[in-house]
Amino acid sequence: MAQHTYPHYATEHGYLTDNLKQQYIKRSVDTHLLPENAHRISAIVSLNASNDVSQPIQFWQLYSVLGSERIVALVRKFYQLVFSDELWFSSVFSRIASLEHHVNTQAAMWVDAMGGGKAYHGGEYRLNFHHTHNAMELMNEKGAKRWIELMVKTLNDPTLDLTDDPRVRPAINTFLNFFMGKYESDFQFSAVETFGQLNPAVKRRINFLKMSSEDVEALDIADLKDALTARGIDISQLADKQALVNKALSL
């Protein structure tokens, strides 16, 4: 198993980073992808990716792994596909600006959101203005479908350097999925296509030895099962919640 020594690149909050982080954490707590105390877990809120490979890389930690050059290279590959695509799609981008301009602005947004510092001046206001005024023609199911297809093709390019950390691709997919979800809500469309595997859920780490009986009894069945299994305990014979609670209290 590869050993990592992150950060490989110095990180800093940008204009987008903290607000996007808080939005994602809230949504992920609500959907049980992150534990309720996620905002207090350093491996989650830090801008630096965890060296523990059991911990997923959050998208605001990607800069600590990838740095600017890899992000720019990825975005450039994507826009090369965009500008060579069918006219109905590519013309919207070419009308707005040159390929180089799109690469620079999109890469700046990614760097900013991914923990690389203040690269995208104007933050969310600028991003929202761009999609509402410049790219409105493609903010629909058809446009989203083609955008996703080209981005997946970019990410699947074997010449693309995403490092040897297998957590990077799911983190990028999660980043893209998060934004696509925002656009679906803002512009009232539904995108059927996906970017691929997303970050796995982060389970709450429970230490029964530091909990009162009341706290243990207040845990739900899923948390009890996960925590007991993590301690190597066979729960197959524990038929109900009370049995799980009793086992936890006996430790």
Side-chain angles (χ1 to χ4, degrees), residues 204-248:
R204 177 182 177 188
R205 292 190 173 182
I206 297 171
N207 185 346
F208 296 125
L209 301 180
K210 294 184 177 181
M211 299 176 70
S212 67
S213 298
E214 291 77 12
D215 289 338
V216 172
E217 291 169 355
L219 294 171
D220 61 31
I221 291 177
D223 281 340
L224 285 163
K225 287 183 175 180
D226 287 342
L228 288 168
T229 301
R231 294 177 68 92
I233 295 170
D234 180 6
I235 62 171
S236 61
Q237 302 304 313
L238 304 179
D240 54 24
K241 180 177 178 179
Q242 191 57 54
L244 294 167
V245 169
N246 291 342
K247 185 63 177 179

Side-chain angles (χ1 to χ4, degrees), residues 24 28 31-34 43-44 53-62 165-178 195-203:
Y24 176 80
S28 297
T31 56
H32 307 292
L33 289 174
L34 293 177
I44 293 175
V53 296
S54 70
Q55 295 292 322
I57 295 174
Q58 305 301 332
F59 67 73
W60 51 87
Q61 300 170 342
L62 280 164
D165 192 327
R167 298 175 296 166
V168 169
R169 175 65 187 273
I172 295 175
N173 291 345
T174 300
F175 169 71
L176 296 169
N177 188 70
F178 170 71
F195 295 100
Q197 179 186 352
L198 304 178
N199 277 352
V202 176
K203 297 295 184 180

